[in-house]
Amino acid sequence: MTKRVVVALLNPVTWSPPGTGLEQWRAALAEDVVDLLARLAQAEPAIAATADDLDLAHEIAWPGTPIYEVPTATVLPVLRAAEKDGYNQAAVLAADAADVPGMILGKLLRPLSSKPVAVAPTGQESGLLALATNLPVPEWLTDTDLDTATPMTVRRSAPQPSLVESTAEWRRLRGPYDLATLDPALEGWENTRAILGG
């Protein structure tokens, strides 16, 4: 049986809604992502954080959730930690996508049965929602952060572009425009919803 993990990476957050502190906003987003991962049926949850963010990681973690300390908030250290932990597949998910549905993550993991790497775009010019790979990590995969990477930049390092599958996109909450696209009818994201006033 394939052992999978989806890791919420505590990536930098540079914007928050007016009247909300950056750290409070970041914590709410990340907690909603971690809550979603804890309920996933198709993969185990984990959190990755740099040393500066370990306190936040422990604050939002469910009991028993693995927390990986990584030197940088980039994908390769997270994937290598998952590989060391004995997983066959791993996905690194940005922790600012508070309302991401579980089915989006399922679609991200599905191509790994035939492709070594899959990416979920954000629908914007730069940034990925998540990157998933079979383990061990492909030797050609270069380190990147989820804020600046695109499907194209990940494909550039692949021996063949077709080795990287692009899956369904989903937004991250990185600015006012993203906030305007939130759907109150979607389940979850209770902490983010509470900050935004219901």
Side-chain angles (χ1 to χ4, degrees), residues 111-128:
L112 296 183
S113 60
S114 58
K115 301 283 181 81
V117 175
V119 292
T122 60
Q124 298 182 353
E125 287 185 13
S126 65
L128 293 175

Side-chain angles (χ1 to χ4, degrees), residues 39-139:
R39 296 190 292 266
L40 278 183
Q42 64 264 50
E44 296 177 30
I47 302 170
T50 61
D52 290 344
D53 289 329
L54 284 178
D55 285 347
L56 174 58
H58 286 286
E59 181 184 320
I60 62 175
W62 284 43
T65 302
I67 296 174
Y68 300 132
E69 182 179 350
V70 290
T72 56
T74 53
V75 298
L76 273 188
V78 181
L79 294 171
R80 299 212 185 283
E83 181 181 326
K84 190 175 178 183
D85 225 7
Y87 289 100
N88 308 116
Q89 296 177 348
V92 185
L93 170 68
D96 56 10
D99 66 333
V100 62
M103 69 174 184
I104 294 289
L105 300 179
K107 289 178 179 179
L108 173 71
L109 293 167
R110 195 169 300 130
L112 296 183
S113 60
S114 58
K115 301 283 181 81
V117 175
V119 292
T122 60
Q124 298 182 353
E125 287 185 13
S126 65
L128 293 175
L129 168 71
L131 181 148
T133 181
N134 285 302
L135 301 175
V137 180
E139 290 183 7

